[in-house]
Amino acid sequence: LEAFIKQANNEKPLIFFVDELDRCRPDYAVEVLEQVKHFFSVPGIVFVLSIDKVQLGNAIRGFYGSEQIEANEYLRRFIDLEYTIPRPDTATFCTYLYHYFKFDEFINSKDRMHISDFRGDKQNIIKISTILFTEASATLRQQEKMFSHARIALKLFNDLSYIFPTLYILLIYIKNYQATLYKKIRNREFNIQELIDSMKEAYPSKISADDLRIFTYTEALLAFFYYNYYKKVDRSAKLIEYNNETRKYELSVNSITDKMNGDLTFLSIVESFNRSNFDQIELDFLLNKIDLLDNLPVQ
């Protein structure tokens, strides 16, 4: 091997990259490490191991059947120089994933850019993803998986469809992180107030003043579309009611985000939906796409 390197590599080192070793079977991972060790004494051979040390340590302890094995000491037999790649900023990574999966092909298409309601969709996708992923401490792989899911499901929308980006991403997030909650929403097991209260499981524990509006708006969207979806099960369900004495609409539920304004912002958003063409949209409009149950739109 040493002679081969000198002849074929112009005395440059021969570098082997071993990736994802921590994701292999424990016995296989340990076997690879032990085999690699035999080449350490050969000049000109370098091994670069791309690993998650915590997971590989678990594999080592699993292989030897003992939690007493000091995995870091074991790995020092193989690793001379260690370098940890810094974790990217979540907002930066979400922006990267947005472009990597080519969301702009749909979100910022020429036809959509002529409609003012759609112009904030890109910013809202990145912002809500960043907040939710940060709250959940989502791994890079989990973030990538959710963006991939969102991009695939996006193909089921017509070119000029509303996608309600903050609610769309929130529901995908719930499907991946709170599967039981998602199933209950899908099966209409909550009444409207129970649905709103259940968002305490999905929303950040602390919402900044800057982010309050986006979460109140998303909460109102969810409640409004769920109401349209749920009233087939319970015809007596109410989201807002008109008070003949005050001549104003009043909420039949309580918001979990709009406490500072006494639900007035939440109410005004719901009222605006009631006056718009949103009043015919049911939550399964989004759920069917997220679950990949809709047919592809005819182009």
Side-chain angles (χ1 to χ4, degrees):
L1 279 171
E2 185 177 351
F4 169 77
I5 292 168
K6 287 181 179 179
Q7 292 173 10
N9 256 29
N10 296 320
E11 298 189 359
K12 293 180 181 179
L14 180 61
I15 302 175
F16 292 89
F17 288 88
V18 183
D19 192 17
E20 305 269 17
L21 191 59
D22 51 279
R23 297 173 67 81
C24 298
R25 291 192 327 271
D27 57 330
Y28 181 80
V30 172
E31 183 181 351
V32 169
L33 287 173
E34 295 291 351
Q35 294 289 347
V36 163
K37 184 177 66 174
H38 292 297
F39 295 99
F40 286 177
S41 61
V42 180
I45 290 185
V46 176
F47 283 87
V48 177
L49 306 177
S50 175
I51 60 171
D52 179 330
K53 276 186 71 178
V54 174
Q55 293 302 321
L56 188 56
N58 292 336
I60 292 166
R61 284 187 285 271
F63 175 76
Y64 287 105
S66 173
E67 289 295 320
Q68 305 306 313
I69 296 291
E70 181 50 63
N72 284 332
E73 288 298 323
Y74 179 88
L75 288 171
R76 285 195 183 99
R77 299 165 53 198
F78 311 99
I79 300 172
D80 294 320
L81 179 65
E82 183 176 335
Y83 177 75
T84 301
I85 299 174
R87 182 183 177 90
D89 171 74
T90 304
T92 302
F93 193 61
C94 286
T95 302
Y96 161 76
L97 290 173
Y98 178 93
H99 292 293
Y100 177 80
F101 286 109
K102 300 180 179 178
F103 275 73
D104 271 345
E105 289 183 357
F106 179 89
I107 298 297
N108 283 340
S109 65
K110 290 182 179 179
D111 289 339
R112 290 182 69 83
M113 282 298 90
H114 292 306
I115 301 174
S116 60
D117 286 356
F118 298 157
R119 289 174 189 162
D121 285 1
K122 174 181 178 179
Q123 290 75 16
N124 284 328
I125 287 173
I126 293 172
K127 183 171 185 177
I128 196 77
S129 299
T130 299
I131 296 169
L132 293 173
F133 295 166
T134 300
E135 173 72 12
S137 299
T139 66
L140 303 184
R141 199 177 297 275
Q142 287 170 326
Q143 294 177 47
E144 182 180 12
K145 177 183 176 182
M146 281 187 271
F147 262 86
S148 175
H149 183 166
R151 185 64 182 95
I152 292 170
L154 206 58
K155 292 182 178 293
L156 300 177
F157 289 87
N158 289 308
D159 291 344
L160 296 180
S161 290
Y162 280 86
I163 66 167
F164 310 102
T166 57
L167 179 56
Y168 178 61
I169 295 297
L170 175 66
L171 289 170
I172 291 174
Y173 170 82
I174 293 172
K175 183 178 175 70
N176 281 274
Y177 270 92
Q178 284 116 1
T180 301
L181 173 57
Y182 184 85
K183 184 177 179 181
K184 288 182 177 180
I185 294 171
R186 161 56 91 179
N187 293 338
R188 294 182 278 209
E189 295 180 28
F190 294 122
N191 62 39
I192 302 169
Q193 185 63 63
E194 288 171 342
L195 170 78
I196 292 173
D197 292 341
S198 75
M199 287 303 102
K200 294 174 183 176
E201 297 179 40
Y203 272 20
S205 53
K206 294 182 179 179
I207 301 175
S208 71
D210 290 340
D211 297 331
L212 188 59
R213 174 76 185 189
I214 193 172
F215 279 99
T216 301
Y217 182 82
T218 304
E219 181 190 19
L221 273 176
L222 176 63
F224 192 78
F225 293 159
Y226 186 79
Y227 164 70
N228 293 339
Y229 182 56
Y230 178 74
K231 63 186 179 182
K232 293 179 179 178
V233 175
D234 182 1
R235 291 175 179 260
S236 66
K238 300 290 183 182
L239 181 57
I240 59 174
E241 287 187 281
Y242 188 75
N243 186 321
N244 289 317
E245 292 183 7
T246 62
R247 297 184 180 181
K248 292 181 179 179
Y249 279 101
E250 295 176 354
L251 282 169
S252 301
V253 297
N254 295 312
S255 166
I256 63 167
T257 60
D258 192 28
K259 300 304 181 186
M260 295 296 291
N261 295 320
D263 294 336
L264 292 179
T265 301
F266 183 86
L267 174 60
S268 66
I269 295 171
V270 171
E271 281 189 276
S272 71
F273 294 160
N274 210 35
R275 294 190 299 267
S276 71
N277 56 357
F278 292 178
D279 63 342
Q280 300 301 315
I281 299 176
E282 299 180 14
L283 192 62
D284 58 353
F285 169 74
L286 293 176
L287 297 177
N288 287 343
K289 293 172 175 58
I290 290 168
D291 293 338
L292 306 180
L293 297 176
D294 273 0
N295 293 321
L296 284 168
V298 178
Q299 300 295 328

